[in-house]
Amino acid sequence: MKRLYLLLLSIAVLTIPSLAQQTVRKTLNFDQNWSFNLGDVSDGEKTDLNDSKWRKLNLPHDWSVEGEFSKDNPATPEGGALPGGIGWYRKTFTVAATSKNKQVYIAFDGVYQKSTVWINGHKLGFRPNGYISFRYNLTPYLNFGGQNTLAVKVDNSVQPNSRWYSGSGIYRNVWLITTNKLAVDNWGTYVTTPKVTEQKASVNLKIVVKNYVGKPQQLQLITSIFNQEGVIVATKKTNTVTIADSVINVNQDIEVSKPQLWSVDRPYLYRVVTKVLNAGVIADEYTTPLGIRYFEFDAYKGFFLNGKPLKILGVCDHHDLGSLGAALNYRALERQLQILKAMGCNGIRTSHNPPAPELLDLCDKMGFIVMDEAFDCWEWKKVTYDYHLFFKEWHKRDLEDQVLRDRNHPSIMIWSIGNEIPQQADSSALRIAPELTAIIHSLDKTRPITTANDRPDTSNKIVKSGAVDLIGYNYHEYNYAKFHDRYPGKKFIATETASGLETRGYYEMPSDSIRVWPERWDKPFIREGNNVSAYDNTRPPWGSTHEATWKVMKKYDFLSGMFIWTGFDYLGEPTPYSWPSRSSYFGIVDLAGFPKDVYYMYQSEWTTKPVLHIFPHWNWEPGKTVDVWAYYNNADEVELYLNGKSVGVKHKTGDDLHVMWRLKYEPGTLKAVSRKSGKVVLTSEIKTAGAPAKIELIADRKTIKADGSDLSFITAKILDKDGNVVPNADNAIQFKINGQAFIPATDNGNPVDHDSFKLSSRKAFHGLALAIVQSKLTPGVATLTASASGLPTASIKVTLVK
Ligand code: GAL
């Protein structure tokens, strides 16, 4: 009965005003068919400039990742060792004559950096911040019914300007938005849920409507809330009012009964659809995402989501997508999040800048708690040409735009106004921190504000200013226990933890000696090939191993959560090395998306699915002493067998997170069996591999969309004749593709590999390589082949569907 009522209500509301839907807002993806020139051009904005020889491409685009690695590039290895420079983008397009009575906008999700935009030779504006979204009003300068030329100059020539790889260009999506003269403003809604119980949720919606008609207009707003099944569950109408002003703020209180709550395990989403009626006709329709949830940080009990305690098990990540560079790709981002979710991760910190909007959409949809961060520096620099040059003039605008854009995402539960701000040490923080929090509070008071402090002591001026709600600690986990002695009554968040260092597949013994400060942690690790042992026993002076941090985190309830540095390896910041390394070692997952061993430590602790992971590989010099580790859960013990003979039963004691056997290596089979109350839970085997004999290709998805951007990530494994991965295989693999797809990048997770990611050939690294297959626009079948000298060619089919 209730369903029938809801259905009738939906039909009634949907059919109220009847003017054709296409007269309302149109948001058109504007990524196709741009012309690009690398290098500066004079008069690049002029309409009559001949750009016919420029390269044709589709956005999002990152020209840096197309370049060659060199230590001499101004970004330095810290910035990924790839070139920067100046680039120009142009696009010619027509606007229908019938749009003359419309408003037309161009919206950029992100351009790195210092962009200037012109339409038909008219300068629309300059935006220095490479991570911020912005839009311009094209209306006054358009040729309706004729040709228009958009020109964008991007200046990333002066580097270093980020402490990591930034990418260069229009690296996120671009949208052409057409609205009526009476329409919801840019980021013009704000949805909150002031009161949520099991019985009902009060939803408050604030809407800003803009009137460009030039004379007073009649306005009525009808808002409907749709549940995830597409059924309207609540509707609200305002009275008809006349708006004389150019802007009007409207407030609507709506009730949703028996709300389905958003959580990390069940991220239930509603949609709030607002219709703007102008004299009874729909003038605009605007959708706002809604997740109904409530949360709280308690000084002594930690974090609660929907009334239940929950530790935030998060990671920090930079924005690059490995071998794809900074160019946004929805599927690549989704894959990263899927890999993290499978580890048990439930939180993302957008270090250290506003993310792509798609990241927030995905976190809403997949159930991640987001700490949305604004700045890596304020007025004092960290690297010579970073945002400190623009902070004074732009921080208010940038921070306002970030909060306006992002505040409707249910996944966001923390704002961060800065990472390791050098001014923590200076009294200027007493002025700036309160100013930044006031900017956020003027737009959103529903989330706590924090800063990620590398000086979490009482002399910290940001903390002293009293402006932050959560005291954020970067590292210093040995001091967590004493947090309340230092900050009585305050709330805690571990904004950044660990910074463990590993190379996937590389091992040094003994595994149980942890390289700690004040030993020269960096010196003993300079190895040929710049490798770092993957036993979770190496850390920088400021950081800690994964296990050491997690042991503390799990001990105290008041430690509301953590964001590990980092989920994925990223381009740039190749600590502990510099050149020839060009990407980081901090990830739990390598740059290609292959998990390092420590991934399974987290999985064994953070999920309930049974885990038994043993390592290292089993190819050593006979007689060598080898440490075998096992991460496991859901079991009382693990027994290890070498060539069928038991070498002992182990179980974790105290706060152990792994067990270890020290063995004299002999070739053969290592087999682990985990048991609970005597019953086998899991078994896991590693065998000594013989010589490389074949390539195995495994696709993460064998069917993808023929939409020009969907991806299949294909892992190539070098196997011996019996199907074992050859652990040190570095065969050069040549990938080829036919059909309606192409290979945008290849990778292997090796931070020292200088082959361009754009090449279709890649050496395996510790037995693995990755080829990414991207769809074109026609459905069909594409076949990827992989060949390597002396091995039979392997192939795999990917189906492309509409
Ligand atoms: C932190 C910093 C991060 C990254 C990390 C490496 O201090 O906030 O951006 O540099 O160190 O360990």
Side-chain angles (χ1 to χ4, degrees), residues 193 264 320:
T193 49
V264 293
D320 76 59

Side-chain angles (χ1 to χ4, degrees), residues 373-657:
E373 191 152 80
F375 305 116
D376 192 46
C377 64
W378 295 345
E379 291 166 349
W380 292 8
K381 71 174 170 204
K382 282 187 174 168
V383 292
T384 319
Y385 303 107
D386 63 20
Y387 186 75
H388 83 280
L389 295 172
F390 303 103
F391 184 86
K392 276 203 177 108
E393 190 183 340
W394 284 94
H395 70 272
K396 183 163 186 294
R397 179 71 197 277
D398 284 340
L399 188 56
E400 278 174 358
D401 283 355
Q402 180 178 2
V403 176
L404 282 170
R405 189 196 71 170
D406 293 353
R407 64 186 176 170
N408 292 324
H409 286 280
S411 55
I412 298 177
M413 300 199 194
I414 307 169
W415 299 114
S416 165
I417 52 172
N419 173 58
E420 299 191 349
I421 298 298
Q423 284 163 279
Q424 286 165 93
D426 187 67
S427 58
S428 54
L430 298 170
R431 162 177 58 85
I432 300 170
E435 193 208 328
L436 299 178
T437 32
I439 292 170
I440 296 181
H441 282 155
S442 73
L443 301 168
D444 180 49
K445 288 206 181 72
T446 69
R447 294 148 172 116
I449 298 173
T450 195
T451 47
N453 300 298
D454 57 338
R455 309 172 62 121
D457 55 67
T458 45
S459 70
N460 183 314
K461 299 289 188 295
I462 297 178
V463 177
K464 270 219 158 100
S465 77
V468 291
D469 306 298
L470 295 175
I471 312 276
Y473 269 51
N474 279 13
Y475 310 102
H476 297 86
E477 83 290 341
Y478 47 86
N479 266 327
Y480 290 176
K482 291 190 230 121
F483 176 74
H484 283 125
D485 298 343
R486 192 172 276 182
Y487 300 113
K490 295 283 185 206
K491 299 170 186 178
F492 173 95
I493 181 82
T495 36
E496 193 171 310
T497 64
S499 272
L501 298 154
E502 289 100 21
T503 302
R504 173 185 56 79
Y506 176 79
Y507 306 94
E508 279 186 24
M509 266 94 4
S511 62
D512 51 356
S513 86
I514 292 178
R515 277 68 163 180
V516 285
W517 188 254
E519 277 173 43
R520 287 302 305 275
W521 65 281
D522 51 345
K523 287 296 171 207
F525 291 90
I526 304 296
R527 300 279 181 257
E528 215 184 308
N530 280 13
N531 288 302
V532 188
S533 181
Y535 279 113
D536 185 20
N537 62 1
T538 309
R539 63 157 177 92
W542 55 91
S544 196
T545 62
H546 291 278
E547 289 199 2
T549 314
W550 176 234
K551 280 179 187 174
V552 182
M553 279 305 301
K554 65 190 278 198
K555 209 150 133 187
Y556 303 102
D557 286 346
F558 78 89
L559 302 173
S560 58
M562 68 200 280
F563 294 93
I564 298 161
W565 193 265
T566 47
F568 276 71
D569 277 346
Y570 50 94
L571 291 166
E573 214 181 26
T575 316
Y577 304 108
S578 192
W579 193 253
S581 300
R582 45 66 171 161
S583 53
S584 83
Y585 294 76
F586 293 116
I588 297 166
V589 182
D590 78 11
L591 201 71
F594 303 136
K596 302 178 188 174
D597 295 296
V598 75
Y599 178 95
Y600 301 96
M601 186 279 282
Y602 287 114
Q603 196 176 50
S604 72
E605 287 283 297
W606 290 2
T607 74
T608 50
K609 65 183 155 207
V611 173
L612 174 60
H613 177 76
I614 53 170
F615 60 103
H617 56 77
W618 208 237
N619 278 58
W620 301 96
E621 286 295 308
K624 181 178 167 69
T625 304
V626 180
D627 293 346
V628 178
W629 284 34
Y631 296 128
Y632 71 93
N633 63 5
N634 301 1
D636 316 314
E637 60 180 36
V638 180
E639 185 159 13
L640 189 70
Y641 301 85
L642 176 56
N643 292 330
K645 263 200 276 136
S646 175
V647 291
V649 176
K650 301 264 175 179
H651 62 270
K652 295 186 261 193
T653 54
D655 61 1
D656 287 350
L657 295 170

